[in-house]
Amino acid sequence: MIHDATKPLILHYAPDNASLVVRLALEELGCTYKTVLVDRARNAQHAQPYLALNPNGQIPVLETPDGPLFETAAILLWLADRHGKLAPEQNSPQRGLFLTWLFWVSNTLHSDVRILFYPHRYGTAETSDPAGLHQKLRERITTHLACVEAALVKSPFLTHSQDGQPTLLALYLPCLLRWLHLYPIDSDKHWIRQGTYPTLAQLGVNLEKRRSAKTAQLVEGLGSAPFTNPTLPNPPEGSAL
C-alpha cells in the first residue's frame, strides 16, 4: 500500500495518559499534527473505531503516512528517526545503549506502573492479597528508579545531546514520575520522594521550562508545575481516567 506522505499526523489521545509523551515529542520536533480525543469516560478506547487502529485498546495511536502506529516507544522512535532528533543517530555508538534504556523504560518501568494503576487487569492476586501486590510493585518500581537514576548519571547522553537538546527519555521519564505521584488516587502520595532521585527530578525541572511542556499544560490541563509539583489534571476536554 502506498501512503500519502502529505497526510497529517493525527494523535489519538486522552489527557494525562501515555499520549502525553507523544505530544511532547511532536511539540519538540515542531511537527504539524491534529488531535482526536479518546473519551475514556465513555470507554472509547474499546469501541470498534478505535480498535480498528489499535486492537489492544490502549492509548495512544499516531496516524502517520506509514499507517497507524501504537505502542509508545515505537511511536517515539519512529518520530525521532523521521526527524533526526531526540535520539542518537542510527550510526552513533550511543545508539545501542539509548535504545536499550528506551525500551527498558517502556517494557519494564512503564509496564509495572501500569500494573500498579490497574491491578484488576492482571490475574487474581489483587483480590487475594491487594496490599501484598501493591507493596511488591512499589518495591519493584523503586528498584527500577534507582537503576535508571544510576544509568543517567553514568551516561548523560541518554537524556540530552551535546547541545543540550532533550532526548525521548528526557520526555518520557518525567511523565512516569508525575503519574507515580498522582495515581492511583486513593494511594499514599509520599512513597516516592523527589530527593531520592535527583537526576530524574532535574529532568522534570528542565522539561517545565520548555515550550513543549507549556503547550501540554494548557491543552491537557496539567497545572502550573506538572512535573515538579504535580496535581490532578483539569483538562478542557475528556478524562484522564
Side-chain angles (χ1 to χ4, degrees):
M1 180 182 295
I2 298 175
H3 298 289
D4 182 0
T6 65
K7 180 180 178 181
L9 300 173
I10 302 175
L11 175 62
H12 295 256
Y13 88 104
D16 209 19
N17 278 231
S19 50
L20 171 60
V21 189
V22 178
R23 184 192 292 275
L24 290 169
L26 289 165
E27 290 290 335
E28 285 287 339
L29 293 169
C31 294
T32 299
Y33 67 100
K34 299 178 180 179
T35 58
V36 174
L37 175 68
V38 182
D39 191 349
R40 293 193 58 175
R42 297 185 177 183
N43 210 29
Q45 70 272 28
H46 296 300
Q48 192 55 46
Y50 191 78
L51 292 175
L53 299 171
N54 182 355
N56 300 296
Q58 294 182 341
I59 301 166
V61 164
L62 184 68
E63 292 191 67
T64 78
D66 296 340
L69 304 179
F70 52 89
E71 293 296 318
T72 302
I75 297 171
L76 294 174
L77 188 56
W78 185 89
L79 286 169
D81 284 351
R82 282 300 177 100
H83 293 273
K85 297 179 180 179
L86 302 182
E89 295 182 357
Q90 294 187 27
N91 61 352
S92 167
Q94 300 173 342
R95 175 80 168 189
L97 187 60
F98 179 84
L99 292 184
T100 295
W101 282 103
L102 174 63
F103 284 93
W104 178 89
V105 166
S106 179
N107 296 341
T108 301
L109 176 56
H110 196 168
S111 291
D112 275 1
V113 170
R114 186 181 297 112
I115 297 170
L116 180 67
F117 295 169
Y118 306 107
H120 57 284
R121 299 180 184 175
Y122 299 89
T124 60
E126 173 66 3
T127 57
S128 62
D129 183 17
L133 176 60
H134 277 239
Q135 180 59 33
K136 186 62 177 178
L137 284 167
R138 289 184 179 193
E139 291 172 1
R140 283 177 56 86
I141 289 169
T142 53
T143 298
H144 295 338
L145 294 177
C147 183
V148 72
E149 172 81 11
L152 301 187
V153 171
K154 183 178 180 180
S155 304
F157 71 84
L158 292 171
T159 54
H160 57 271
S161 61
Q162 289 185 343
D163 60 3
Q165 293 299 302
T167 69
L168 298 172
L169 286 170
L171 309 179
Y172 204 155
L173 287 164
C175 293
L176 288 169
L177 266 291
R178 168 183 167 80
W179 299 327
L180 284 168
H181 278 88
L182 290 179
Y183 306 106
I185 293 174
D186 58 353
S187 71
D188 172 22
K189 305 303 181 189
H190 304 291
W191 67 282
I192 290 182
R193 301 184 184 279
Q194 291 272 20
T196 307
Y197 313 102
T199 306
L200 287 169
Q202 187 61 44
L203 294 180
V205 174
N206 297 344
L207 185 54
E208 283 184 355
K209 299 175 182 178
R210 301 192 65 81
R211 182 189 59 80
S212 60
K214 296 183 186 304
T215 298
Q217 285 173 246
L218 179 65
V219 298
E220 299 198 16
L222 302 182
S224 60
F227 305 112
T228 59
N229 186 26
T231 56
L232 291 173
N234 183 26
E237 65 173 1
S239 171
L241 300 174

